[in-house]
Amino acid sequence: MTYACTLGFRRHVFGDLKTLLAKASPARSGDMLAGVAAASEEERMAARIVLADLPLARFLQEAVVPYEHDEVTRLILDGHDTAAFAPVAGLTVGEFRDWLLSDAAESASLQALAPGLTPEMVAAVSKLMRNQDLILVAAKCQVVTRFRNTLGLPGRLAVRLQPNHPTDDPRGIAASMLDGLLYGVGDAVIGINPATDSLPAITTLLRLIDDFREQYEVPTQSCVLTHVTNTLRAIDKGAPVDLVFQSIGGTEAVNRSFGVSAALLDEANAAALALGRGSVGNNVMYFETGQGSALSANAHHGADQQTLEARAYGLARRYQPLLVNTVVGFIGPEYLYDGKQIIRAGLEDHFCGKLLGLPMGCDICYTNHAEADQDDMDTLLTLLGVAGINFIIGVPGADDIMLNYQSTSFHDALYVRRVLDRRRAPEFEDWLERMGIADFRGNLLPQGEQQALLALAATL
């Protein structure tokens, strides 16, 4: 089906829904590289006018990636909840935007609606929104998950403690882990990106975190962010696996390039659930995504990168994960060229994920060859904090020495918690008080008073 709009004396024709979505997207380098971006601002506006008048139900009739060729499409459409969709089934995309911005769209109604929305619907409405619209709606979406603590509660912001090391040196990792805990970081997860896929090395890191967690009774969860097949092998060997991690994308082809499928993720989810290691809940999966991954694998099917990113969230919600985060600027300027594009993409990703019912976080980051700097990341950090993001990343000094990119630091977490009055996960906050790291209000005590964990530092 074709879509058309006349602006002035020029008629703009869009050959299918996939093309219409791509042309309506805000400008970004990845879509330009793929040859799917609007050729002018006039064409972009024409696409948005057409998109605003498109019935939401149309997305259930025309797939962006063919149903018969893509398991992500099949999972999205086969899992669609018609009853949940009913309250907005008669709306156009533009009317849906207006409803989302109204007082009628409050937390409970958005939570009930989530199973009835497809990723393409939320991607479409995001293309009609200003940044402030994305923030306003996302702030109304509350998604709570649990494993050893409770994440996503109102007024809370968690942080993943990321103690990476370029050689997986346990002493170096332990030092970074201790440093983060003394800053009150680590309630989302203590998650290590390993330098190697060696099973013995992965097991060593898992035991390192778990031994520390048990010794000090830390109410958090651990994860070594290796490939899902390695985690399954570690489970078979009896390693202390809390969360199963995997990078995923929005098409079957990009997931195949990652070496994963829905069947494999089903197996991993079942294996982690069978361990029963959670104390307050059983959300056991952790997914990372990022705009541009499908294009970089030549697996984008001619679709725009933001729509495909939303489709990755459609796959993720099948598993009721504890954590999902977009690594928003990590792939590089070929996909998100500068700070402006990274900020917009981060707000889009958070909005789309939250509207689909996911516990969204963001690695607020950029590569050193992008036209971006730490001031841009400060802006995105603040905006996402206002938007109610579930968690961010904490890296020593904001400089990931293993992955060689710039992220957010332990100090950044202190900043956003202080300026927006965001507290930690309640169980973790209670632990910080018991350990003498923070007071009952969550404020860090002077370093000289943090005796319990500082004693351990002398042994590292």
Side-chain angles (χ1 to χ4, degrees):
M1 179 176 177
T2 60
Y3 305 88
C5 173
T6 300
L7 282 182
F9 299 102
R10 189 188 303 272
R11 184 167 177 78
H12 297 272
V13 179
F14 309 98
D16 54 22
L17 184 55
K18 173 174 63 180
T19 302
L20 178 64
L21 288 168
K23 300 297 186 184
S25 278
R28 62 204 55 195
S29 53
D31 291 340
M32 296 174 192
L33 179 65
V36 302
S40 66
E41 288 302 319
E42 180 181 298
E43 185 181 30
R44 181 171 289 111
M45 185 54 65
R48 290 175 179 172
I49 290 172
V50 175
L51 189 60
D53 290 334
L54 192 71
L56 282 176
R58 182 65 196 164
F59 293 94
L60 300 174
Q61 302 160 2
E62 183 178 350
V64 169
V65 183
Y67 181 93
E68 61 273 15
H69 297 150
D70 188 87
E71 75 169 358
V72 177
T73 299
R74 293 192 291 274
L75 289 173
I76 289 167
L77 294 179
D78 293 348
H80 180 252
D81 188 328
T82 304
F85 181 56
V88 299
L91 301 183
T92 65
V93 176
E95 291 168 340
F96 183 44
R97 172 190 177 273
D98 293 343
W99 180 81
L100 287 171
L101 294 170
S102 75
D103 291 339
E106 37 75 41
S107 180
S109 59
L110 291 171
Q111 186 177 26
L113 178 64
L117 298 176
T118 70
E120 291 85 354
M121 291 176 191
V122 301
V125 75
S126 77
K127 297 175 194 295
L128 305 183
M129 290 183 153
R130 294 169 56 185
N131 285 0
Q132 67 174 246
D133 299 338
L134 299 173
I135 293 168
L136 174 61
V137 176
K140 297 191 287 186
C141 297
Q142 294 176 7
V143 183
V144 177
T145 56
R146 296 175 174 87
F147 189 76
R148 286 199 190 90
N149 57 29
T150 306
L151 304 173
L153 293 170
R156 305 278 175 169
L157 171 68
V159 183
R160 169 186 161 190
L161 173 49
Q162 185 169 300
N164 293 347
H165 192 279
T167 64
D168 287 342
D169 178 15
R171 287 171 57 86
I173 288 171
S176 292
M177 187 165 63
L178 176 62
D179 189 26
L181 290 168
L182 290 171
Y183 277 103
V185 164
D187 46 349
V189 63
I190 300 175
I192 303 169
N193 295 95
T196 174
D197 284 333
S198 158
L199 186 59
I202 291 165
T203 302
T204 295
L205 296 180
L206 285 167
R207 294 197 185 284
L208 167 69
I209 306 174
D210 201 59
D211 289 347
F212 185 94
R213 180 192 63 78
E214 288 196 333
Q215 180 179 353
Y216 288 92
E217 300 179 330
V218 191
T220 190
Q221 35 283 331
S222 64
C223 187
V224 173
L225 283 70
T226 187
H227 193 270
V228 61
T229 53
N230 290 329
T231 304
L232 282 169
R233 291 165 60 207
I235 291 173
D236 288 342
K237 296 291 186 181
V241 172
D242 287 345
L243 305 183
V244 175
F245 167 82
Q246 184 54 50
S247 294
I248 58 172
T251 71
E252 179 179 347
V254 70
N255 288 321
R256 193 183 307 121
S257 77
F258 291 152
V260 298
S261 64
L264 180 59
L265 295 176
D266 289 348
E267 179 186 354
N269 185 53
L273 286 171
L275 296 176
R277 290 175 57 83
S279 57
V280 298
N282 60 356
N283 301 112
V284 296
M285 301 297 282
Y286 177 14
F287 295 115
E288 282 190 345
T289 66
Q291 289 194 29
S293 60
L295 176 58
S296 68
N298 194 28
H300 62 294
H301 295 272
D304 70 273
Q305 62 187 39
Q306 190 256 334
T307 298
L308 294 181
E309 174 73 1
R311 282 170 53 90
Y313 305 151
L315 173 61
R317 71 176 172 180
R318 171 181 174 87
Y319 302 99
Q320 300 181 323
L322 181 78
L323 306 165
V324 179
N325 74 265
T326 167
V327 191
V328 67
F330 180 67
I331 304 182
E334 300 86 356
Y335 306 94
L336 296 169
Y337 177 72
D338 57 13
K340 181 180 177 66
Q341 292 187 10
I342 293 171
I343 289 169
R344 173 69 191 192
L347 294 176
E348 287 171 347
D349 294 350
H350 178 248
F351 164 88
C352 289
K354 279 290 185 65
L355 204 53
L356 289 169
L358 287 177
M360 287 301 298
C362 183
D363 190 345
I364 300 162
C365 62
Y366 65 99
T367 59
N368 287 313
H369 62 311
E371 291 294 321
D373 58 28
Q374 211 66 40
D375 285 339
D376 295 314
M377 300 305 102
D378 287 349
T379 300
L380 180 54
L381 171 64
T382 306
L383 294 175
L384 286 172
V386 173
I389 195 164
N390 279 35
F391 72 102
I392 60 171
I393 308 299
V395 179
D399 185 4
D400 194 310
I401 58 174
M402 198 279 280
L403 295 174
N404 291 312
Y405 74 108
Q406 308 306 308
S407 185
T408 44
S409 70
F410 306 150
H411 300 82
D412 294 329
L414 291 178
Y415 149 73
V416 75
R417 280 174 167 155
R418 175 65 62 87
V419 76
L420 297 178
D421 191 24
R422 296 290 191 264
R423 301 185 68 162
R424 301 167 181 88
E427 300 89 345
F428 191 80
E429 193 169 77
D430 291 345
W431 177 79
L432 291 175
E433 183 183 356
R434 291 198 308 273
M435 295 297 292
I437 297 173
D439 64 22
F440 71 95
R441 295 178 299 271
N443 299 318
L444 295 182
L445 296 174
Q447 190 177 60
E449 298 178 24
Q450 296 179 341
Q451 298 301 323
L453 284 183
L454 282 171
L456 178 65
T459 68
L460 294 177

